[in-house]
Amino acid sequence: MTAAAFRSSRALARTPPELDPLLFWPAVFLLLFGLVMVYSASIATAEGSGFTGHQSYYFLFRHTIFLAIGAVAAVAAFQVPMRFWQALAPWLFLSGVALLMVVLIPHVGRSINGAQRWLPLGPINLQPSELMKLFAVLYAADYTTRKLDAMGSFRRGFLPMAAVILGVGFLLLREPDFGAFVVITAIAFGMLFLGGMNGRLFVLLTTIALIGFVLLIWLSPYRRERILGFMDPWQDSFGKGYQLSHALIAFGRGEWFGVGLGASVEKLFYLPEAHTDFLLAVIAEELGFVGVFVVVAFFVLLVQRAFAVGRQALLLERVFGGLVAQGIGIWFGFQAFINMGVNMGLLPTKGLTLPLMSFGGSGIVANCLALAVLLRIDYENRCLMRGQLA
């Protein structure tokens, strides 16, 4: 081998890959593992429901379709440069607000279990609040990028974003979707802090926000009963503490290694929403502490890589991309933390799914789109680094 060829091969070996394997493969694992567990958790519900035609694979089939749609959408989204995402951010956010308004129109939005959160689109239902989480990440990143010099100002930096989030929150609470409101608020606050908001101001505003959430809970009898039921689910285990008590039973039955894949008893009409909000409880029962630990470890790795990609983008002076990556990390990490806390009885029962894993069409598609944007940021980071080395 000539010296020139040797140097060329060494340079090629040092060239960073186009996709970060520690970002891509954990996401793929969670998506595919979620598919398996959704099928396991939903078999009894599908067979016992006349709505599904008593077909055991009903939810598996629909979840697979949504995963396929999400994968196609992700491939398309990955082709879009971040500068276009930044240009589209305000318009996507406005379209999300418009959808939140449309879903509240009587006889247009679909109501399920007392909540009007879905828009019927033929055989599928669109849940705008799930897409709004991604749009909120993009908008907050664009807003912070434009207002970097004003982040220390309460009036010019915080108030405009607060007004926007309160407007979105009003629409979400009308559905009602308190969980989505909490997640979107956490995304906005987190990104403002990462964008350079004054530390003391951030603590003050966070305290005010927490007081506001407490008041929202206390002034709503339904939410207040959920809080009281969470504090002692066994006091009314057949009423307001029913879901949590059965989730805890599932965790207890699973012990270290679980009762075996597909062998859960709690999913047999004891644990409501086993394939959506309480999927982790089924994982705990069937695969035990080990299964739960693996899921938590992969989420920690995914969130860590999202923040690492964001930090790398910021070092390369790509502020918008860096904030988007870290905003997606906040979204996935915060929502997963809440879902896991609810399943384990550490947090009050709240209707939030486990990202990338729980059954839900709009949520899965939104998660796949977010992953594609995150991978695109990493890809552009690597291309820029490669150009600098050249």
Side-chain angles (χ1 to χ4, degrees):
M1 180 183 293
T2 65
F6 178 75
R7 287 194 297 271
S8 176
S9 64
R10 288 288 300 274
L12 184 61
R14 290 195 302 269
T15 300
E18 293 184 351
L19 295 178
D20 181 359
L22 292 178
L23 176 60
F24 179 76
W25 291 114
V28 171
F29 169 81
L30 290 171
L31 286 168
L32 296 180
F33 185 48
L35 178 66
V36 173
M37 294 312 303
V38 163
Y39 180 47
S40 176
S42 65
I43 291 176
T45 303
E47 288 181 343
S49 173
F51 172 74
T52 65
H54 306 288
Q55 298 173 330
S56 62
Y57 52 84
Y58 174 83
F59 291 104
L60 171 66
F61 177 75
R62 288 181 66 85
H63 196 70
T64 303
I65 293 296
F66 291 133
L67 270 180
I69 294 172
V72 172
V75 171
F78 181 78
Q79 311 303 318
V80 180
M82 290 309 299
R83 65 179 183 275
F84 289 122
W85 283 114
Q86 185 170 7
L88 289 171
W91 302 106
L92 290 174
F93 189 80
L94 288 175
S95 67
V97 171
L99 289 173
L100 290 178
M101 292 178 177
V102 171
V103 81
L104 294 173
I105 299 175
H107 309 298
V108 175
R110 183 179 181 185
S111 180
I112 301 176
N113 296 328
Q116 191 164 325
R117 305 175 185 171
W118 297 268
L119 289 172
L121 301 175
I124 64 174
N125 293 316
L126 174 66
Q127 189 172 355
S129 59
E130 291 294 338
L131 294 176
M132 197 64 194
K133 295 171 186 175
L134 174 59
F135 297 162
V137 169
L138 295 171
Y139 178 76
D142 176 56
Y143 174 87
T144 306
T145 301
R146 290 185 283 107
K147 298 268 190 173
L148 278 177
D149 295 336
M151 279 294 103
S153 169
F154 175 79
R155 183 177 61 84
R156 294 192 299 130
F158 174 76
L159 274 185
M161 176 60 77
V164 169
I165 295 303
L166 286 175
V168 171
F170 173 78
L171 295 173
L172 290 171
L173 292 176
R174 292 281 295 172
E175 295 183 2
D177 195 344
F178 185 70
F181 178 40
V182 172
V183 172
I184 289 174
T185 302
I187 290 170
F189 268 59
M191 295 181 70
L192 288 174
F193 177 73
L194 293 172
M197 177 183 285
N198 180 275
R200 292 181 181 177
L201 178 60
F202 178 78
V203 172
L204 174 62
L205 294 174
T206 301
T207 303
I208 294 173
L210 290 175
I211 294 172
F213 283 130
V214 170
L215 290 175
L216 282 173
I217 293 170
W218 193 254
L219 295 175
S220 169
Y222 170 72
R223 298 190 189 105
R224 188 169 65 244
E225 287 180 5
R226 279 197 164 191
I227 293 291
L228 297 176
F230 145 75
M231 295 176 69
D232 187 6
W234 308 108
Q235 186 178 18
D236 188 11
S237 58
F238 291 98
K240 58 190 177 185
Y242 183 81
Q243 280 183 304
L244 180 54
S245 61
H246 280 278
L248 294 176
I249 291 171
F251 272 86
R253 292 192 74 245
E255 297 185 349
W256 285 96
F257 299 102
V259 298
L261 184 63
S264 167
V265 172
E266 287 300 317
K267 69 184 181 185
L268 304 178
F269 301 103
Y270 293 105
L271 179 62
E273 310 296 339
H275 57 300
T276 55
D277 299 350
F278 285 89
L279 186 66
L280 189 70
V282 177
I283 294 173
E285 185 178 3
E286 296 189 349
L287 302 177
F289 172 81
V290 173
V292 174
F293 177 80
V294 169
V295 171
V296 172
F298 272 93
F299 268 108
V300 170
L301 178 58
L302 185 65
V303 172
Q304 186 275 329
R305 292 310 304 161
F307 274 87
V309 169
R311 184 171 60 252
Q312 184 65 58
L314 292 173
L315 290 174
L316 294 171
E317 299 182 354
R318 301 177 60 243
V319 178
F320 175 75
L323 290 174
V324 169
Q326 294 181 346
I328 292 171
I330 293 172
W331 168 16
F332 284 179
F334 187 74
Q335 184 167 330
F337 173 77
I338 292 180
N339 179 272
M340 293 174 183
V342 167
N343 276 252
M344 297 178 189
L346 302 175
L347 295 172
T349 303
K350 192 74 224 82
L352 277 175
T353 57
L354 189 60
L356 305 172
M357 298 188 69
S358 293
F359 177 81
S362 300
I364 286 294
V365 172
N367 293 163
C368 289
L369 286 171
L371 285 172
V373 173
L374 185 56
L375 288 167
R376 178 71 197 193
I377 297 167
D378 179 62
Y379 171 76
E380 291 188 6
N381 286 349
R382 291 166 184 268
C383 289
L384 185 57
M385 292 169 63
R386 187 181 304 151
Q388 289 176 339
L389 289 173

